[in-house]
Amino acid sequence: MADPAGCCRPCATCLLCLYSCQWITAKKEKRKGLRTTKCDCSWFLFLFLIFLFTLVWLYFTIIILNDFHNFNEFIFKQRNLWLDWSLVLLIATAVLITYSATLLVLALCLQLCGQPLKLHWLHKTLLIFTALVVAAAFTGLGIKWAEEWRSARISLQATGPFLHIGAVGGMTLLAWPLASFIYRTHSTGLRVSLLLPYCAVMIALYLAPLAITSPCIMEEKQLPPKPALVGHRGAPMLAPENTLMSLQKAVDCDVQVFETDVMVSADGVPFLMHDEELTRTTNVQAVFPERAALNSTAFNWTDLQQLDAGSWFLERRPFPTAQSLSASDRLEVAKQRIPSLQQALEAAKQSNISIMFDLRPENHSDYQSFVNATLEAILESGIPLQQVLWLPDGFREQVRQQAPGLQQVYGRKRLQNEKEPLLHVNLPYQDMSSEEIRQYRQDNVSVNLYVVNQPWLFSVLWCSGVSSVTTNACQVLKEMKRPIWLLPSSTYLMIWIVTDSVSLLAILWAFVLLKKCSQRRQPAESETDVLLTKINSLMQE
């Protein structure tokens, strides 16, 4: 097998060394009998599939970053260990995708250089290990975090058009090593078995836009108003969650609603706290070590006021933004205490923003007394009742009677034959399709979806017409003046046609060009074989 023109022997030798893990020179006599077998082709196919597998996992990793703070909180509750596991996941995924991509590039370069694909056993072992790791990751995702599959489907509305272009481009580049291999092999069956799947995949990719839908494929004039921002526990990327500082930072981000969680102390004082235990967001283990594992509602208000609700934010850095706080903000963080609902209502009243809250824990035996204490705090605060969005389902009818001015928000979709029409719904963003959002909007039902942190997700929901989103990243979404991308259908159609046309021409060019190169090599190789035969005959004589 002669070295193709343009492929220097040192380069071929280095490629063989990296791929085969042994120093094999590219001279014919040194590699006599070294050929790409069917087994080698099978390992190359396995390598290609592993690369695609890890690429898909990389995509999932990027998508689930929107919700990864929930995973960090879950691990803390289980192991009492705080770590930004998203960094660990990204680094591990980057290592796997880099390794498989490097091997794939080496194999393609070896094929273009006409060298044998002898994958070393160590690489084979590591590829199998990579496949097992990624398969385990997908399995764990499906078991413990199944809603992220719905997040992935939503993400395709934001990335579908660009994934199509990338897939077409990648498969088009693959035409070069494929054509090179086809013109070198003499097996008709092998040629057909490679060409047919390749052609089928390309046809499927060319027609893929027929199945791609996105709410952001629309005219500029059809774009709905920008969704209002609801601060999830305030502005938790800029200040400790569920504190007055977090509320003020949310106000600075132009949020319209402060979303929080309310619990009631042992002596009947409603206060802001999300977790049932105080260990994650306070220094309860230092102040009350013997009571640290108790439910938050087991502490009286005097005890709760002794706890530091801010320093953990600087120590654990739940978000990367915690590192960039100014000196004055750091001093303010250290002063934070657990606020009562009364204090939060007064701050919301002064800032002229609404407040929305859950009342926890819903399964508590004294839940009705919690509802009464919370209602009492609201009525005593003097805040206009229309600024309070009531989320708890328990004893809702009683709440309506005692405070009819409260805005009732439901954590469910509409039911058939609903006696009283819903005006406000609050749901996870995975639970509503773009079509449902549009229908609710047409029926004047306010839809708030949570928790939306990434600009791509905010863009999709904006194009869909959602009323508001609950977010941790109000400082990011505040700066967005329009969705990340917005394409008229006519423009997208043009991009589709141009992409497919350029790809088809490039593939045809690759096969024609390599066909000519193959035809030029054949006479030279034939003359060499004849000459070698004559020399061999003379030596035998």
Side-chain angles (χ1 to χ4, degrees), residues 359-432:
L359 185 57
R360 300 171 180 269
E362 295 88 347
N363 58 353
H364 199 282
S365 57
D366 291 331
Y367 194 72
Q368 185 169 9
S369 65
F370 291 177
V371 171
N372 294 333
T374 303
L375 273 177
E376 183 180 348
I378 292 172
L379 296 174
E380 288 180 355
S381 69
I383 189 173
L385 293 184
Q386 64 270 21
Q387 285 183 229
V388 180
L389 284 70
W390 184 273
L391 270 174
D393 280 327
F395 306 98
R396 192 182 287 273
E397 193 56 40
Q398 172 190 327
V399 173
R400 286 178 188 274
Q401 294 175 3
Q402 295 186 27
L406 295 179
Q407 296 193 57
Q408 298 294 326
V409 183
Y410 294 82
R412 61 172 175 81
K413 296 181 182 180
R414 292 182 296 188
L415 303 175
Q416 289 185 348
N417 303 320
E418 191 95 48
K419 293 181 179 179
E420 186 174 340
L422 306 185
L423 297 179
H424 307 276
V425 296
N426 180 63
L427 293 166
Y429 71 86
Q430 299 100 330
D431 286 0
M432 290 201 79

Side-chain angles (χ1 to χ4, degrees), residues 296-310:
S296 303
T297 57
F299 293 80
N300 61 44
W301 182 239
T302 304
D303 292 340
L304 292 171
Q305 283 295 280
Q306 298 180 47
L307 300 178
D308 178 353

Side-chain angles (χ1 to χ4, degrees), residues 120-181:
H120 193 264
W121 66 266
L122 179 60
H123 287 318
K124 294 176 182 178
T125 304
L126 291 176
L127 283 176
I128 294 173
F129 174 75
T130 299
L132 293 175
V133 169
V134 177
F138 272 116
T139 303
L141 184 70
I143 294 174
K144 293 294 186 181
W145 215 357
E147 62 269 20
E148 290 307 313
W149 293 105
R150 288 179 289 165
S151 300
R153 286 197 294 270
I154 294 172
S155 73
L156 293 176
Q157 298 179 4
T159 61
F162 308 102
L163 290 178
H164 167 249
I165 295 173
V168 169
M171 291 299 292
T172 301
L173 291 175
L174 195 60
W176 289 87
L178 178 65
S180 174
F181 181 81

